Each structure stands twice: as C-alpha cells, then as structure tokens.
Amino acid sequence: MSGVRTVEQSGAAHSDPASGPDLVLLAPFDGWAAPLSEVPDPVFADRMMGDGVAIDPLAAVLTAPCDGEIILLHAALHAVTLRAGNGAEILMHIGLDTVALGGRGFAAHVAQGQTVKAGDKLISFDLDQLAHAARSLITPIVITNADGFVVARRMENVKVARGQALMTVRRIAPAPAAAAGYGREVRRELVVPMVHGLHARPAARLAGLAKSFAAEIAILSGETRANVRSPVALMGLGLTKGARVTIVAAGADADEAAAALTALIESGMDEDGAPSAAAAIVAAPLPVRDGVLAGVRAAPGLALGVAVRLVQPDIPVEEQGQGAAHEMQCLGAALAVMKQNLQAAAGKNATLSAILEAHLGILGDPELAAEARAQIEAGKSAGYAWRSAVREQVAVLKGLKDPRLAERASDLIDLERQVLSALGGAEAVAMTLPQNAILLAEDILPSQLAGIDAARLAGLAMAEGGPTSHAAILAASMNIPALVACGPALLEISDGMAVLLDADHGRLTVDPSPAAREKIARQIAARRRARRDAQANAQALCHTKDGVRIEVCANLGSVEDAVTAVAEGAEGCGLLRTEFLFLNRQSPPGEDEQADVYRAIADALGGRPLIVRTLDIGGDKPAAYLPFPPEENPALGLRGVRVSLWRPDLLATQLRAILRGIPPAQCRIMVPMIASLDELRQVRRILDDARAALGIADPVSLGVMIETPAAAITADILAAEADFFSIGTNDLTQYSLAMDRGNARLAAQFDALHPAVLRLIAATAKGADRYERRTGVCGGLGSDVTAAPILIGLGVRSLSGTASQIAEQKAAIGSLTLAQCRDLAEKALAATSASDVRGLNPGD
C-alpha cells in the first residue's frame, strides 16, 4: 500500500486577492481516502469528471463538505452536486454502478435548489445493500468545473473522519459574472440529427459558430453541461443520433446565438453519409489463422508488398516548468506555429482540408487551453501541460460507447505530437519507405499519412482504428487499400515480411504462398493496366461502343473541385452545390461574392457545361440566418425550391449572380425538390426578371432535379417546360423506399438500384423523351460503375459523380453497346431486389 501523504498542487494554501480565499472541503463521512487513480472506473480514475479524492466509506450518511447550494440531485439518489459560494461545483458519487439500483437503498435529506451548511446530512444509504449490489462502495468526490479551479492540497492513503479537512480548492480564473449580468437566458430543446452523432467535424463547426457571439452558450445533455466553444467538451458528451439536448444561451445576443446553433445542429451539417452495415460495426477481429489476419475494410483494393512497422515513441517532455509566464509564452508560440502549418497544408486536397479544418477547431479549444494553463500555473512545463490536457480528453473519447466518436481520439493524439514537436523546435521528418510498402501500425495519425510518399505506399493496416477514422477517410481519398481493427497480432508481423492485403475481403495474409503471390500480382497488374488505360483516355469524350454520346461529368462544391475534375477528364459539371456559399455564416452571401465564385468555377471548367443547383437548404441543411418555423418532419417540410419561393429575394439574388458569373452558353440552372409544374413556373418568372434586369437576351437553360416520386411520375408534364432533367438518386431512393438515408441500420437495404427506384428513373427518361429533353443522373448512382449500363439502358444520357471515378466510368461505358445496356436495363426492371440487380452482368 502507498504511504500516507498530503498532496499539494502548488504550495501551501493561501489567499490571493485576485482569486479569493481557498476553499477547504471537509470529508463527507468516515472512511479511507484514496487517490482517484485507484477508483476502478476510468471515468473517475482518468479524471474525466474532474479532479479530487475518493473515499471508501465506513459510515452510511453523506454530509455536505462545505456551505453551498444543491444544484443537482440525481433521480437515483446515488449522486449529488453542490455549488460552493466561490462557484466550485463538487460532485459526490456514492459507489460505482449504483445508478442501476434506481434509488433502492438511498434516502435523500435535501432537495435540488436547497441551501446547506457544512456537515448537513445530504443522503443516507444502506451499506449492506450497496455492498451486495454495487460494483464498489468507493465514493469519488470531484470538482467538475476544472476550468476555474484546481485542487491545491488533498489527503490520500489515510483514514479520514467526517468533518476533517479533505481537500483545498483554489480558484485559477476570475469569478464569472453573475447570471443576471448576462441578461435573459434562452433555451432551445432539440434532437441531434447527425447520422454519426457529434464527432470532430460538426463539433468544430459548432465551436466556430459559437465564437462569433458574445453570449455564454452551453449544451445540456442529461446531467452533463458542455461549453459550446469547446469541440472536445462537445465530443465528450457522447451524443449520438436521436439524443435530446438543450441549448442554453445567456447574454446580449442570446436569442440570435441560440437560433443559429439550433439551426446548425438541426441542419445535420452535411453529415449525411452512412457507412455500410458491415463498416458501421467494427467487430472484434479474428485471430491469425493459417497466416491470415482479419480486419475491417477502410478503403478498397488489393496490395502485395513488404511489411513496414510504424513505431511511434512518446516525445519526451520535462515535467517541471521554468515559470508560468515563460511556459505560457512557449505554448502560445507552438500553437501559433501549428495553426500556420495546418492552414498551409489545408489546400492540398479536399479530404485533407476537411480533416485539418476539424484539427484547427480542436487546436483553438478553450477547455484544452484552460486545462493546460492550469497545469502550467501549477508549475508544469508547457509540454507536460499540453500532453496532460490532451490525454485527459483522449480518455474521455476512448471511453465513449460510440465507436465513431472514440475514433476521434487519434485526432487529439495527432495534435499532441505536432505541438510537442513545435515546442521542441523539431521539424517533422518524412518516413522513408521501400517500394510497395504495406504500413502496419497500432494507429496512424492523419498528419503521418499525409506526409508519406504515396508512390511507395501500397497498402495500410492498423491494429486499432475504425472505418470512419480520419486516417481511413484520407487513405480512401489517396486510393490506398486499407484495413483497420486488425487486432494486436498485426504488430507481431516482422519488418520485411511479405504480406498480401485484400481490403475488399477484409484479409491480410502473412507470407503468402508463391502461387498466391503470382495470382494476386496478376490481378493487381490487370487492375493497374485497366486504370492506367482508362486515365490515358479520360480526356476523350465518352461514347458507347456503338457511338452513342454519354456525358460524364463531376459534382462540384468549390473552385478546387473544378480544377481536379478537369484533370480527371470531366466533361463538365453535372451538379454545383451552392450551399457552401450560404452555410456557416450569419448572413447570406451578397450578389458580388456569389458572382465571383461562379465565375471562377466557370473559368476553371474552361467553357465546359456548368449545371448550377439553386440553393438547397432547409430540412437537413438550414442556415443560421433563416428562421425556419418548427417542423415535425423537416425532410418533408421547407426544403429546396420551397425555401427559394418562401424567400424569393434570396433566389433572385442568386439567379442574378449566376447570370453575371457564367456565360449563357455554358450556364444551366437546376431547381431542387420540384414536385409540381407551378413551382417551376414561379422560378422561371424570377429568372426571366433577372435576365431582363441584366439585359441578357440569350436563353438560359432551366432544368429540374428529379428527387420526388411525384416529379418522376409526372415527368411528361414537367418536360413540357423544363429544359432538362437530372435525377438525384439519393433523395429519390429515400422517398421511394421510405427509408432514412442517414440510418445506418438500414444502410444495407438503402440501394438506388432497387427495382422500384429504377422504374421511376425509367418513367423520368420516358417523359423527357416525349419533348426531346436530356436526362442525367447526379446522385450517388452517377459514380457507380455497376449502375452505368443500366442507367444508359433506361434512357439516361448524362452521368455526374465523384471526379476520381470518371476514367473508369468512361472506360466501362466505352466497352458496351446501347443494345447491351438496354437488355441489362430490361432485366433490372424485372428483378425483385437490388441485390438481384447488382448480380446482373452485361454478358448474361
């Protein structure tokens, strides 16, 4: 057993004129005082809830450790939180897993909101009953608002008596203004709609938006309160889809802040991609059997190469600092360097930019900064303080039940290492890889993967991680086959060992046989040749084998996307998502700003056709500056064109900007979520007014995005006045199958190749043909090489999707005749399921 000790955080207790006198907390009952690290629960042992002491009770009545107010009495009566006069909030949690008792064995002597004196009875409990039913009787006593307080002195490894001094708590920041000083408090209740909950990217966006308001803003989830300016605190809430939360704002602009945060959360923040059912659950990996290790696919493909283990030793740091002022200056300088590095690297590619944007949000996290500052003021070095602050939050994330949120711990570790390197003045050294390296690691940080020579990297396998980790997403964007969750056996593979990575089937084979190597080498070579040939011909216009013209375009969301698309062989833009101009801001973009962006994208396309979708917000993508009325089902409410007609001023401004920025011959305008001809006519009138105001005599194409069954069934009516159709297969599938495309449990059934969806596509193309209108697809099916011949057979003549698929899409189309496509489409319409459709081949 450890020796008895009185632990001091930063010297003896004292009174500081700026922060007020220290607060002495008394032992709430007789018992053995132990360090929190000995509590058999990581929530307390890792100080996720805060710092303090634990007591193994020898008495059955919990008493108040100081004067204060009961701010929370848990419904199960096993926990109570007291706010002292200086603002410190003290949580006392009787036993572990005692919430499951539902109040049995407990009796409360106080009520929430009641004022108590030190020594007053709070809760009585049955020691015998708890001893049999609870995992442990040990009772943590912690300070939960650690941003403002530090435990300066504590008793540990010693028997304490009720009323004896247990801890000394010191304020480390000025007292917050009284609530009345903030003005009226505003509360908004809502349900979290994001498919994967509140992970790094949406947390960073919420924090960024919160920083634009003066109000104090928090999110409440049950007993837990998180500062919205802190991405880490938000992630630590562990919010999953469907969680009910409350936004609380207080201050001069509280109404605007609460409305903006509510709108951004309810928008879903474009987090609408659901992983496949297989990828949604990272199962425990199988052991190595016959040299084969099982994992979870993170990025598809085959790789044959040599194993290279990535070892990540801790960066050594000195624990003790050289004065708070010096250490704060060092940490501030390192964070500034990191911010510059992240901003400089963000432009390399779209996927990396999104990841680094989340990293920037974490880097500016006020709670991380506050924890590091507290450590520095307690005498620690900048490096030690930063590492301690980060690892405390890593423990929070790794303890969460949601695997997607737990995966984001690697982002924090990544930033920890980079900041420590900056503090030490060390520059990142690129890893030297042999040719055809297959990198093996416990986990790989995004910055490490981004800095690797991709030309030498054949594949990637991680013992930990998940298919939605940022490293996995980045690997997919780099076309690197990758496996995750392979288990600890992966790390036992020796450097230089031959390995075969089959990400498509979730297998890693160690030392494959010569015959297996030869077979896979042939398959890899064939795939490379096919891709190389496809890329060599990607700039040519696409035709079927018998000469039918098929447009293959790209979906865009920025000027950078347009540059990439042209390089990949895009024949134009089949969908420009203009929402990127309108979201994450306090007011809509002006006409000049929009026109400049549209002009830049049109220039990047070099005269190629540009289909611009008018603003598609509402539902899952509301804007903070539009006060949408409450809707029970936003997906069926104000969305797409309905918003534009509700706010025709926004539509008129956007149409003028489009006309100013894009030449008429290049410009095509597409209206989302059309369900009736009247909606199209109203937009046409506003467009004609804009043309007249700008003196544009040339006609401008105005088309319809087919996303509702109503539009597909009445395509022959719409085609009389629409100039073209483009089918949004994601929403069309959602509305046709009555399945939420963001529901991971339905991911395996949510397939746009369902015969019902294909019949709606066929009806759309038939209606368009009646007036010789062109039909395209710009939804998820536009990138699906398997779907291309079926869509062409149904009458689709334009496909638009992700730029990286363009070369293979063109090659596949060029190998088929229209007759083959029509035959395949006929069989698809007669199929009974999407899986049957996917089983069809052009040669069948």
Side-chain angles (χ1 to χ4, degrees), residues 155-204:
M155 299 297 292
E156 293 179 345
N157 298 312
V158 64
K159 185 177 180 181
V160 293
R162 181 177 66 84
Q164 179 181 345
L166 179 68
M167 283 188 286
T168 301
V169 178
R170 178 171 302 154
R171 177 177 290 283
I172 58 173
Y182 291 132
R184 184 171 60 88
E185 186 179 83
V186 177
R187 289 179 174 246
R188 296 281 186 100
E189 294 185 357
L190 65 155
V191 175
V192 174
M194 284 80 79
V195 173
H196 303 297
L198 203 55
H199 59 91
R201 282 189 298 273

Side-chain angles (χ1 to χ4, degrees), residues 588-661:
E591 185 177 323
D592 289 344
E593 179 186 349
Q594 292 187 60
D596 288 343
V597 174
Y598 302 144
R599 186 178 300 110
I601 292 173
D603 290 345
L605 289 174
R608 294 170 180 84
L610 172 53
I611 297 180
V612 184
R613 182 176 68 188
T614 57
L615 183 59
D616 186 14
I617 58 174
D620 59 344
K621 291 178 291 204
Y625 46 82
L626 286 179
F628 287 98
E631 296 179 303
E632 186 171 341
N633 191 340
L636 301 179
L638 278 175
R639 283 199 62 187
V641 69
R642 299 167 194 166
V643 175
S644 294
L645 297 178
W646 173 54
R647 287 290 304 271
D649 55 317
L650 291 179
L651 176 60
T653 299
Q654 183 175 32
L655 291 176
R656 288 194 303 271
I658 293 170
L659 294 174
R660 287 174 53 196

Side-chain angles (χ1 to χ4, degrees), residues 48 89 109 136 192 264 299 339 443 531 573 575 594 652 669 679 718 787 792:
M48 300 180 196
E89 296 177 359
H109 300 285
S136 171
V192 174
L264 184 55
K339 185 175 181 180
D443 198 1
R531 180 166 179 79
C573 169
L575 169 63
Q594 292 187 60
I669 298 171
E679 292 169 330
L718 294 171
I792 293 168

Side-chain angles (χ1 to χ4, degrees), residues 537-540 552-553 564-572 608 803 806-807 810:
N537 297 311
Q539 297 300 327
V552 180
C553 302
T564 300
V566 170
E568 293 283 353
E571 299 171 14
R608 294 170 180 84
I806 288 173
K810 286 185 174 183

